Amino acid sequence: EDPVMAELGSGSTPRSNYPATLDTNSSQEVDSPSINKTLITAAKIEDGYTAIINIQTELGTDPAGTTTDVKTFLQTEHDLDGTHKASMVLEVPALQGYATASLPAAGTAGRLARVTDGIRGIWMDTGTAWVSVTGYANIKDFGGKGDDATDDTAALLAAISAAMTAASTLYIPSGTYRFDQTGDASPTYGIYINQPVTIRGDGIGRTILKNMSATAAGIRCAGSYILISDLTIDNNSGTGEAFRQGGQFSKTTNISIKNQAGATTYALIVDGSTSATIDHIILSNVTNGIDIGATVPTNGVRFSQVSIEPASGKALRINVSSDIEFYGLHIEPVTTSGGNLEKAIAITGSEEIDFYGLSAEFDGPKTLTDDAYIEIDNSRSINFWGGRIRHATSCASKAFWKLTHTNTS
């Protein structure tokens, strides 16, 4: 048969169900060719799969879409003679935007809204509260500067609080963000985290959280399901602990901690933590390295790829804890600052502690102030699987092991 010429537009006739995104002309369309309209040449043939629809998009603003846009629409929405198919068209309305404080009261489960500040993105009404579905917070939206000059304490606390409230992610881009202990709910720490949240930076040495207090501790994670990654914690030669992790099912990964100077405090404290993971951690220029079970027993924690560069003191202490695993632990004292190392590893009152691939290098000018590299007291099932301890002449008189009431292999 002869081809049928039909024209589709944004008019209201059954043959004119053309989407507004492809048709900026609001006039009623008619079924005949005309200038500045879309012409469809449709051949009626037996095999509809191989039917070819030729589209001629003439000069003008009608339709607004490209030829490909028009062709796709016509092929899926119209029959070969140009008439509209009897099919359902799903239209998704644009989500209304709200500031977080202006969200309507929760109570309609499944309702969606677009939040334009704080935790930006799509939020859903669960029936009792609004929760973030796709959003994340950026420290910059809360006034963070990251210029190593501005006090970013308030910005960090506000951003972390918002991310915890939404059980969401806080992104901290490259920069040095100074913080102090003032203004926090727990005044002995600069930053206190006690709810599920993810905090990630741009990488070690790029995103730096710098503790400006000379004596206060830096960051404490006391809640569960807390993930912190890809940043550096600079204790700025302060004497307080730099970072403390507790709670359950938390993960700290790709982190460096540096410049902790307290004679009796540790750079990283893992206290009361269970079923947690700590991997790819670098501790450099710290007086004491890692303290596990400092005040509360810790169990079920896995460490991997950990490097400790102590300036003096102890590299690792484990106290009244169990089921601790180290995969790839390297200890190498800083040779240019601090005093002599007291001890490499001290384990007390613990069980089921496994080291896979311990490496310790004591080939610099420093010696040990104690009489052994590794001291294990009143513990059982302490296992070392492979590894090496190398020492210089200055440490030749020191013992590798000092065991007291201990079952060790």
Side-chain angles (χ1 to χ4, degrees), residues 119-380:
I119 310 295
R120 300 170 183 265
I122 306 303
W123 286 49
M124 182 177 70
D125 184 351
T126 64
T128 58
W130 285 95
V131 297
S132 173
V133 177
T134 64
Y136 69 92
N138 187 321
I139 185 68
K140 299 291 186 179
D141 290 338
F142 294 83
K145 301 298 183 184
D147 57 9
D148 198 16
T150 303
D151 183 353
D152 285 320
T153 305
L156 282 164
L157 296 180
I160 291 171
S161 177
M164 288 193 301
T165 299
S168 186
T169 296
L170 170 61
Y171 168 56
I172 307 178
S174 297
T176 298
Y177 300 82
R178 294 187 172 193
F179 68 91
D180 210 328
Q181 70 180 101
T182 57
D184 192 80
S186 178
T188 58
Y189 291 89
I191 298 173
Y192 184 69
I193 305 169
N194 62 354
Q195 297 180 48
V197 69
T198 296
I199 300 174
R200 64 178 180 86
D202 275 334
I204 291 176
R206 300 184 64 185
T207 296
I208 301 171
L209 304 182
K210 191 173 185 178
N211 183 8
M212 299 306 295
S213 173
T215 57
I219 300 172
R220 180 180 183 185
C221 297
S224 299
Y225 298 100
I226 297 172
L227 169 61
I228 299 180
S229 68
D230 303 301
L231 53 81
T232 291
I233 301 172
D234 183 356
N235 217 45
N236 198 33
S237 298
T239 59
E241 64 199 51
F243 181 68
R244 178 183 291 246
Q245 177 173 308
Q248 296 180 313
F249 309 111
S250 292
K251 183 174 183 179
T252 301
T253 182
N254 199 30
I255 296 288
S256 73
I257 301 173
K258 64 180 184 178
N259 301 329
Q260 178 271 337
T264 58
T265 56
Y266 283 74
L268 171 60
I269 296 178
V270 183
D271 203 26
S273 186
T274 59
S275 302
T277 302
I278 299 175
D279 60 34
H280 292 87
I281 305 296
I282 301 173
L283 282 70
S284 61
N285 193 33
V286 297
T287 300
N288 297 289
I290 301 175
D291 190 1
I292 300 173
T295 59
V296 181
T298 294
N299 61 81
V301 178
R302 175 173 175 166
F303 295 78
S304 64
Q305 304 305 315
V306 176
S307 176
I308 307 175
E309 301 173 7
S312 59
K314 297 183 181 73
L316 172 64
R317 186 179 82 126
I318 303 175
N319 182 58
V320 194
S321 295
S322 63
D323 192 17
I324 307 296
E325 296 179 329
F326 279 88
Y327 293 84
L329 169 62
H330 180 73
I331 300 173
E332 185 170 359
V334 176
T335 60
T336 57
S337 63
N340 292 317
L341 191 67
E342 178 184 344
K343 197 184 306 295
I345 299 174
I347 302 174
T348 304
S350 299
E351 61 182 11
E352 299 294 339
I353 312 296
D354 295 305
F355 295 86
Y356 298 89
L358 168 65
S359 171
E361 304 284 344
F362 295 90
D363 55 357
K366 294 188 176 183
T367 186
L368 293 176
T369 58
D370 209 332
D371 53 3
Y373 290 97
I374 300 173
E375 180 175 354
I376 305 174
D377 180 38
N378 196 29
S379 299
R380 65 187 181 91

Side-chain angles (χ1 to χ4, degrees), residues 68-124:
T68 300
D69 295 332
V70 177
K71 181 177 180 181
T72 299
F73 173 77
L74 294 175
Q75 288 176 329
T76 57
E77 297 294 327
H78 294 81
D79 290 322
L80 293 178
D81 65 353
T83 58
H84 184 66
K85 291 180 179 178
S87 60
M88 181 181 71
V89 178
L90 176 63
E91 294 186 2
V92 180
L95 295 177
Q96 184 171 348
Y98 296 92
T100 304
S102 301
L103 282 167
T108 306
R111 177 174 45 168
L112 299 177
R114 180 171 54 87
V115 173
T116 58
D117 68 342
I119 310 295
R120 300 170 183 265
I122 306 303
W123 286 49
M124 182 177 70

